[in-house]
Structures are given as C-alpha cells and as structure tokens.
Amino acid sequence: MAFVKKLKFETTRQRVVVSPTTTIKRNRRRSNSLATFLSQLKFSIVRSSSRVSELGLQTRRKLDISNLLLKSVNEMSLNNIWIRRQQCPCGDWKCYIRFEGDESSCLVTKSELDSSTTTTGTGSSLYDNTVFMPYVGQIFRTDDEAFEYYSAFARKSGFSIRKARSTESQNLGVYRRDFVCYRSGFNQPRKKANVEHPRERKSVRCGCDAKMYLTKEVVDGVSRCWYVSQFSNVHNHELLEDDQVRLLPAYRKIQQSDQDRILLLSKAGFPVNRIVKLLELEKGVHAGQLPFIEKDVRNFVRACKKSVQENDAFLCEKRESDTLELLESCKALAERDMGFAYDCTSDENQKVENLAWAFGDSVGAYSLFGDVVVFDTTYRSIPYGLLLGVFFGIDNNGKAILLGCVLLQDESCLSFTWALQTFVRFMRGRHPQTFLTDMDAGLKDAIAREMPNTHHVVFMWHIVSKLASWFSQTLGSHYDEFRAGFEMFCRAGNIDEFEQQWNLLVTRFGLVQDRHAALLYSCRASWSPCYIREHFVAQTMTPEFNLSIDSFLKRIVAGPTCMQLLLEEVSAAASLAKQIPPRFTYPSLKTCMPMEDQARGILTPYAFSILQNELVLSVQYAVSEMANGPYIVHHFKKMEGECCVIWNPENEEIQCSCKEFEHSGILCRHTLRVLTVKNCFLIPEQYFLLRWRQECPHVAAENQNGQGIGDDCAQTFHSLTETLLTESMICKDRLDYANQELSLLIDRVRNVAPANCLYQP
C-alpha cells in the first residue's frame, strides 16, 4: 500500500470531462427513429474525441470514455435495440447470467488478470513470452508495433514507458518517434492558483535517461519500416517488482466487461469501495489483485456519470414518444383488421407502461393448439427499458406459431399478471393446460394466481444454459464432471431416485449451501422430467421446437432499430412462418403392421414419424403378463427400467407408467407392444388426438364456409363477452351471479340440437 500512495504523486493532469451529448442537447430536434439519434450521438462522440486530441492530453482516460460510448452506440446501431436478459432468477440483482458462447469469459483466474495487465491500450501484446531487450538497428513494421514491444519489455523489467516527441515533415509525415521511461524528464513548475492553501503535488519524474528512439526508413520516397536509432536502458531509479509494476498507470486497464459491470453497480447506488470488493468476489481474487485500483474506478465513474444521466434522460423521452407511435400503429391496424386485438396500461401521467397485442389468426390457432403455450421472455430493450414477451403455440406439424406479444415495463409479478390476464382475454377466456416459461419468481407467482388450474413447466434448456454461470466458477475444473452428473440424474425414472441422486450430487461437489443449487431444488417440480411427466407439453421440449422458437425470435429482433418497426417485424415473421410449407413428408412404411398404415392415414407427417419410430422400437421389448392383469414391459437387453402397462379391452383404454401419452399425446413403444401382443391390429381412435391429425374438423368447416360462423357474429359475441367480463369484475356478488347464470346457459346451449355441427365426435 505504501507503493500505491507513492504513485499518487505522479504528474498532475488537466481535468477535462467530455460530454458527448452536449452538442445534441443544444441543438436537439425531434427524431423520427432511434437510428437518427444514434447517428447524432456517434458524430458528437467522434467530435468530442477529436477535441481531446487537440488539447494534447497524454492520458487515455478521457478517450476511453468516448470510445466506450462510441462502441455502445455502434453496437446499438448494428445489432438493434434488443439483447438477451441477463438477470439471474436467484433474486440477487447483482448476479447475472452469461449465455452460451460467453462461458469462456466467466472464469477469470489470477494468471489471466496478470496477463491482462501487459496490454498498454493498443491491444494484447504479441511479445508476452518472447520479448528481449531492444537494440540499435532492430526493425519493426510500424511504430505501434515498436511501442508494443518496448512496453512489453518495460513491463517485464519493472517500469513503464510513454510517448515523448514525434518529428514530422510535409512529405514524409511522422518520421521519428521517441519512447521514454515514465520517469523521464522533470515536471515543469506551474503557475499557482489564487487560493489560500494550494495543493503541492510531487512528481514521479526524476530525469531518467532510459529511452528508445525510432526512425522511419525511406527509400525513393517510399516508407519501408521503422528501426531503432538510439536505445538506452540506464535508469536512475529503482525498478519495481512484478506485484508493484502492475499498479503503474500504464498497466491499469479496466476491461470492457468490467466497465459495463461498474456502470451497472454505480447506477444502482453502490459506492466505489463496495464495487471494487464485489468485483474481487466475482472474479475470485484476493484484495488488491484486480488489474486496476479503486482510484481508477472512481475516475471512470465520475467521467461517465454525466454522460450516462443525459443519455438516460434522452432515451426516456424517446421511449415515451416511440411507445405512443406504436400504440397508434396498433389502433390503425385494429381498424383494418377486425380480428386484431390490443390493450395497454398507463401511469398517472398517461404514459404507456405495458402494451399487448394479438392477431386474428392467432386467436383462431389458439382454439386448436392452445393446450400448450410457451411464453418466451428472452429479450429486453436496454434503450427503452422494456421486456419483450412472446406467446407461442405448437401446431400439428411441430412448428412454433405466434399467439401474441407483450411489452412490459419491468419483470415484476404485477406486470406479468397483467400480461397473463390480457392474453387470456384475447384468447376468449380459455386457459391452456400447460404454460412453459423460463425460471422467474415473479412470473411463477403470476401464473399461480391467474392460472391456478394450469401446469407451470420450466424449459429444461433454460436450466442447462444457466449451469455454467452458476457453478463453473465455484467448481472450476470439476464443472464438466458436475455437468455430466446433472444430466445423468435428470434421466431418473421416478421421484425417489431423483431425490437420492440429487443429495449425492450436491454433497459430492460441496453445493449443499449454494444458493443456486437451493433454487434449483426448490423449483424441481417445474423442470425435473420425473416431476413433469404427467403434464401435457406436446413436443415443445424437443430441440427442434427450441430451434423453431429461436429462429422466429431472431427474425423479430434482428430488424427493428426502433420501437415503431416492432409491430411490422412481428407481423412479417408470422406471415413468413405461414408461407413456409412443412418440411415433413410421410416416410415409407417400415413394419407393414395395420396400425402403422392406420396412423399414416390419420396423423400429420410430423406426428406419424414420431409414432412410427416408437412402433419400430417396440419390437425390441418383451411382455410379461401379471396375474392381476397389468403387463410388465422391458427391453430385451434390460437397458432400461421396466414399465407397467394396463390394458382394458372392454373400453379400449391403455395406460403406461412412463406417461408418454399424457406427456406428448402420442403412444409410447410399451403400449404399442402390448397392443401387438394382444392381437389388437388397430389403435383405439381416442389415442389419435385432434391436435396431431392431418386436418382438424374445425379448420375444414371454416375452409368450406369461407369465414366459418362469420366474422360479424364472432365480433358481436366477443364484444358481449368482454362487456360481461368487465361488469362482472366490479364486485364479488356480480361475479358469483355471472358464474351461476353462465353455467345454466352452457347447459341449455348443449341441449340445443345443432343443424350443422362443426365438430365431429
């Protein structure tokens, strides 16, 4: 620490705080899109950087701030306004998730931190392992390469360097560069300020003569290379040890990922000393081992604070205007399309908070495929501060279909509750059987409140994608072994086996007290396969469906650079998905069994291919009939556990302990094997679910009658139901009365003999 105090007496630098948005605030005109604002901000940052260069400042601190903002603007311009959510569901807002592809940056070891300090701001050194003392006559391709080489040598020797004079001419440009020791020369006395007690700051400069001069070699007016014309390694001061030289200003560098984290913590109100301690804990290093010190963090936060505040104020204003324009677009679309529905909420200042919409085709698709709904909340907008939620279903060809979209101001239970209420209202009050989401405490509470009879399931691939962020740093080299063990116990056949293997796993890797392991265990009923086998999820848990959702979302978020374009992109993506024909074709018959030919004539190619695979594999299973009626089915090599199948020939009902039909809606190999053994040549009709059939009766009837029962009738009925819902929610007495009368009305409607029934039993 004494050495750190010594470094505080370095040369006083002129303080210039560059505000890239100052020019914009002076001449601000209302932009029609976020792209216009980004281009203006980029121009202002570049001009501000040039202004710093004209002042002749030696420090790179202020330029780093401008470069950071310029990089962020470029990323928003090129990569649009949407990014993946990084907030961890553990409840600790300081904990965040790195998605697949970023795992390499999750582990930061002490050796990596040490090696990162060898950079001098021009990029990573190419000479970390092969640097030697420079010599007169040594050749370099560029002056930057020479500076990097000399800096690497200085780093290993115990000092740092800086750029001194440069000589240039009109014809040759810069033809000489002087690099000197950071303690070269003497501090020039400055005129004292007119204050009573001026501060006396000592300088680290002591006239050191260590240097390296470069000269450009020019032949026939053409620059070829740079060579060392003078070199001296004689110092008149003590050289520093490795644990001290890393604290020199030239080697103290705040990396981009650390800058983003510091800004986030600072915006949340963390003091600088707490930020430093938190970064040390996250990286797993001892105190004082970061590649920067607390003073660097303080200077960085101070320089960024004004720019960040101005940018936030401008983006807040931009969010308000763009969300209003998006709302106007929804109103215009509702006038053109009678089936389009939208809704929004406003605060006390009449500013739009949440917005939801659904297309008419989505409502029709939900009537057929609304048994399973996927609510994806992967993306959020940093400039607008809004969360994008997309409702998906799965059709009879295994493709993702759009059901609705929502923009939420935050991720609270209240916002999710409004989203679910609005979605159910758009879908004529029908709740899904199963609702699949990411792991989120607020969303979980909202589902339990608004959909008490709906099964909530968490996607397994959401769980797997978070494992590296949760456990890779804690387990280190043992993470791969933990990952393999996790995937193994996820294949547990029953709950007791899962509980036993979970206890063994967390005890083995010392995760009994880990908060993320405790979070996983507390939510096990929502994601563990042995717990959710009885929940109907269709085929949404397959990798193919996940890819279908991912491609759909990328089409949505890849285009919009402003909020107004989001509605158009969603509509275009939904239309494109409809235009793409199913890729599935009927495979040729493989077993020549009657039930295979029967299924081929009823199911879609997608569903038939799944059932056919089960039918082919069923021949590898042996069947043993028990005395009391059930059948025990097991693989002939006994590679899997036994399954119990119950077959009732009178009612043609069959059940299997593996719960595959309850889980996906397609019979498993075990039940198919029992049907074959019992000489049942055809599959009972009730095991061909309507959602997996080639053509649903409802769709066929609508195609024949143009618009089915008619858009006017449907619109009138929808208006009546909305009015009934609104009036019934005023008080509990009205709600009870409405429920009682509706139950009687439904019974009367069912007793009316239909003349032209759209549904076939």
Side-chain angles (χ1 to χ4, degrees):
M1 297 304 297
F3 176 73
V4 176
K5 294 180 180 179
K6 178 181 178 183
L7 292 177
K8 293 183 179 179
F9 299 115
E10 60 182 309
T11 305
T12 305
R13 295 168 178 168
Q14 181 181 359
R15 288 186 177 272
V16 178
V17 178
V18 180
S19 177
T21 59
T22 302
T23 306
I24 297 176
K25 288 182 70 64
R26 291 175 181 173
N27 302 306
R28 180 182 297 173
R29 291 185 298 178
R30 186 173 184 82
S31 304
N32 294 327
S33 67
L34 184 60
T36 305
F37 161 66
L38 294 176
S39 62
Q40 292 177 348
L41 179 58
K42 188 188 303 182
F43 173 75
S44 179
I45 293 173
V46 172
R47 188 164 65 178
S48 300
S49 300
S50 303
R51 190 187 312 162
V52 174
S53 178
E54 293 172 0
L55 292 175
L57 298 177
Q58 297 296 325
T59 179
R60 294 187 304 275
R61 304 289 183 188
K62 309 305 177 186
L63 283 174
D64 286 343
I65 304 303
S66 297
N67 291 335
L68 170 64
L69 294 174
L70 181 59
K71 181 177 180 181
S72 301
V73 170
N74 285 329
E75 289 178 351
M76 284 194 291
S77 301
L78 297 176
N79 300 332
N80 64 62
I81 61 176
W82 303 101
I83 66 169
R84 287 180 177 269
R85 290 173 64 196
Q86 293 184 314
Q87 186 62 47
C88 180
C90 67
D92 185 358
W93 65 269
K94 301 184 294 299
C95 183
Y96 60 101
I97 300 297
R98 294 184 183 272
F99 290 91
E100 205 166 305
D102 298 332
E103 283 83 355
S104 58
S105 59
C106 290
L107 290 174
V108 182
T109 62
K110 183 178 183 300
S111 60
E112 291 173 340
L113 289 172
D114 292 340
S115 63
S116 66
T117 60
T118 61
T119 61
T120 59
T122 59
S124 58
S125 177
L126 300 175
Y127 308 102
D128 289 344
N129 299 321
T130 58
V131 63
F132 300 99
M133 181 182 294
Y135 56 90
V136 176
Q138 187 173 359
I139 297 176
F140 298 95
R141 288 173 296 182
T142 63
D143 55 340
D144 289 335
E145 181 182 346
F147 183 82
E148 184 180 358
Y149 186 92
Y150 192 24
S151 179
F153 169 76
R155 169 70 177 80
K156 290 183 175 293
S157 300
F159 66 101
S160 66
I161 61 172
R162 58 182 173 85
K163 295 179 180 180
R165 290 188 313 172
S166 62
T167 309
E168 61 180 324
S169 66
Q170 185 175 2
N171 297 330
L172 300 179
V174 178
Y175 63 88
R176 175 170 170 169
R177 293 281 193 190
D178 295 352
F179 305 143
V180 298
C181 175
Y182 78 110
R183 304 193 69 176
S184 174
F186 297 94
N187 188 34
Q188 298 296 328
R190 295 185 180 183
K191 186 177 180 180
K192 295 185 179 180
N194 189 17
V195 294
E196 184 178 356
H197 300 288
R199 290 192 300 174
E200 293 289 343
R201 291 188 176 180
K202 296 183 179 180
S203 172
V204 296
R205 298 192 181 186
C206 59
C208 180
D209 194 44
K211 60 190 175 184
M212 186 177 78
Y213 293 168
L214 289 179
T215 303
K216 182 188 294 185
E217 182 180 2
V218 181
V219 178
D220 297 332
V222 179
S223 302
R224 289 192 173 182
C225 61
W226 293 78
Y227 65 92
V228 179
S229 56
Q230 293 185 49
F231 176 75
S232 173
N233 197 36
V234 178
H235 299 267
N236 63 352
H237 57 87
E238 181 183 0
L239 298 180
L240 305 177
E241 298 294 335
D242 185 68
D243 60 337
Q244 295 178 331
V245 72
R246 67 180 183 86
L247 297 176
L248 290 174
Y251 305 126
R252 300 202 308 261
K253 179 70 174 177
I254 304 179
Q255 301 297 329
Q256 176 65 42
S257 58
D258 294 331
Q259 291 177 355
D260 297 339
R261 191 72 173 138
I262 290 171
L263 288 178
L264 175 65
L265 296 173
S266 176
K267 191 174 181 179
F270 265 53
V272 173
N273 60 337
R274 292 288 183 88
I275 293 177
V276 174
K277 291 181 179 179
L278 183 59
L279 290 175
E280 291 172 346
L281 291 174
E282 289 180 347
K283 296 178 180 296
V285 299
H286 297 291
Q289 294 300 314
L290 292 173
F292 47 84
I293 60 177
E294 184 176 319
K295 175 184 176 182
D296 301 322
V297 177
R298 196 177 305 279
N299 292 339
F300 173 75
V301 171
R302 185 184 297 114
C304 285
K305 187 175 183 180
K306 185 177 181 181
S307 298
V308 170
Q309 289 176 345
E310 292 177 350
N311 291 343
D312 287 349
F314 187 88
L315 290 176
C316 182
E317 179 182 343
K318 191 64 182 171
R319 169 192 169 180
E320 296 172 7
S321 61
D322 283 1
T323 49
L324 285 176
E325 293 184 14
L326 180 59
L327 181 60
E328 292 298 326
S329 300
C330 290
K331 294 180 180 179
L333 184 57
E335 295 176 357
R336 300 193 306 267
D337 182 7
M338 297 298 295
F340 181 81
Y342 74 95
D343 194 8
C344 66
T345 61
S346 304
D347 59 11
E348 61 276 4
N349 297 321
Q350 300 303 314
K351 296 179 181 179
V352 178
E353 292 180 327
N354 306 311
L355 178 63
W357 68 90
F359 298 94
D361 294 339
S362 300
V363 178
Y366 185 83
S367 64
L368 296 173
F369 308 114
D371 45 10
V372 178
V373 174
V374 176
F375 185 40
D376 189 282
T377 56
T378 302
Y379 291 94
R380 70 173 297 111
S381 172
I382 292 298
Y384 292 100
L386 294 173
L387 176 70
L388 174 64
V390 185
F391 297 91
F392 290 102
I394 179 172
D395 65 6
N396 53 359
N397 290 307
K399 294 193 309 177
I401 53 176
L402 177 68
L403 298 179
C405 291
V406 63
L407 291 172
L408 302 177
Q409 63 172 345
D410 54 36
E411 303 168 24
S412 65
C413 178
L414 184 62
S415 296
F416 284 128
T417 299
W418 178 86
L420 297 180
Q421 291 176 346
T422 307
F423 175 75
V424 171
R425 189 170 70 253
F426 287 167
M427 301 304 152
R428 310 295 191 260
R430 178 186 169 189
H431 290 194
Q433 296 182 31
T434 309
F435 204 76
L436 293 96
T437 68
D438 195 355
M439 183 182 292
D440 189 285
L443 184 55
K444 178 182 178 182
D445 294 340
I447 295 173
R449 178 183 305 175
E450 297 301 321
M451 301 179 178
N453 298 323
T454 298
H455 301 296
H456 180 211
V457 174
V458 175
F459 266 118
M460 174 58 73
W461 68 275
H462 278 307
I463 299 293
V464 174
S465 65
K466 296 178 176 62
L467 292 180
S469 297
W470 285 345
F471 303 113
S472 60
Q473 184 173 350
T474 303
L475 300 178
S477 59
H478 298 289
Y479 169 72
D480 292 336
E481 188 178 356
F482 166 81
R483 175 74 176 265
F486 181 85
E487 294 176 353
M488 180 177 296
F489 84 77
C490 283
R491 295 192 291 268
N494 52 65
I495 296 178
D496 293 336
E497 184 180 352
F498 171 86
E499 297 285 344
Q500 181 181 3
Q501 292 188 13
W502 173 268
N503 293 331
L504 292 175
L505 187 71
V506 295
T507 303
R508 175 184 175 186
F509 292 96
L511 299 175
V512 177
Q513 302 298 328
D514 187 87
R515 70 173 185 274
H516 295 123
L519 174 65
L520 276 177
Y521 185 75
S522 64
C523 300
R524 64 192 182 282
S526 300
W527 60 267
S528 177
C530 62
Y531 279 92
I532 64 175
R533 288 301 295 176
E534 297 185 5
H535 301 338
F536 181 72
V537 298
Q539 292 291 321
T540 56
M541 305 293 282
T542 62
E544 293 79 14
F545 182 75
N546 293 336
L547 290 176
S548 179
I549 285 185
D550 188 58
S551 61
F552 197 103
L553 288 173
K554 286 181 178 178
R555 285 197 297 267
I556 294 177
V557 303
T561 55
C562 62
M563 194 62 68
Q564 301 95 313
L565 298 178
L566 179 62
L567 185 62
E568 300 176 8
E569 292 294 334
V570 172
S571 179
S575 300
L576 180 62
K578 296 173 188 174
Q579 295 172 3
I580 299 177
R583 298 182 179 180
F584 298 99
T585 57
Y586 281 104
S588 58
L589 299 178
K590 298 180 180 180
T591 65
C592 297
M593 298 174 64
M595 62 177 63
E596 182 184 13
D597 186 61
Q598 175 200 17
R600 192 178 190 274
I602 298 177
L603 301 177
T604 62
Y606 172 78
F608 171 71
S609 63
I610 299 175
L611 181 65
Q612 185 186 51
N613 182 63
E614 295 294 317
L615 195 59
V616 171
L617 295 176
S618 67
V619 299
Q620 301 179 10
Y621 286 77
V623 179
S624 302
E625 185 174 1
M626 305 298 291
N628 54 354
Y631 299 86
I632 302 300
V633 184
H634 61 87
H635 194 268
F636 78 103
K637 290 185 178 179
K638 294 189 176 181
M639 298 174 60
E640 303 174 1
E642 297 178 343
C643 289
C644 179
V645 178
I646 300 176
W647 163 241
N648 186 350
E650 296 179 358
N651 299 328
E652 292 188 332
E653 295 180 353
I654 191 167
Q655 295 180 353
C656 181
S657 60
C658 74
K659 303 296 182 180
E660 179 61 29
F661 181 77
E662 292 81 356
H663 192 64
S664 66
I666 297 178
L667 287 177
C668 64
R669 63 198 67 173
H670 315 110
T671 55
L672 293 173
R673 182 57 176 165
V674 171
L675 291 176
T676 303
V677 171
K678 301 305 293 182
N679 297 326
C680 185
F681 298 102
L682 297 178
I683 298 175
E685 193 72 17
Q686 66 265 29
Y687 293 105
F688 293 111
L689 295 187
L690 182 65
R691 67 154 13 263
W692 295 128
R693 298 195 177 213
Q694 297 174 6
E695 189 173 6
C696 298
H698 179 62
V699 177
E702 284 194 349
N703 292 336
Q704 294 174 2
N705 297 303
Q707 296 298 324
I709 62 176
D711 289 338
D712 294 338
C713 296
Q715 186 67 23
T716 302
F717 187 79
H718 179 49
S719 177
L720 289 174
T721 54
E722 283 189 341
T723 304
L724 177 63
L725 178 63
T726 302
E727 295 295 333
S728 301
M729 295 299 292
I730 294 178
C731 65
K732 187 176 184 301
D733 293 338
R734 287 191 178 188
L735 183 62
D736 294 339
Y737 179 78
N739 287 333
Q740 181 180 358
E741 293 299 321
L742 282 176
S743 299
L744 297 175
L745 180 60
I746 291 174
D747 292 337
R748 294 173 185 173
V749 171
R750 287 174 177 172
N751 293 330
V752 176
N756 296 310
C757 185
L758 297 178
Y759 298 91
Q760 298 177 3

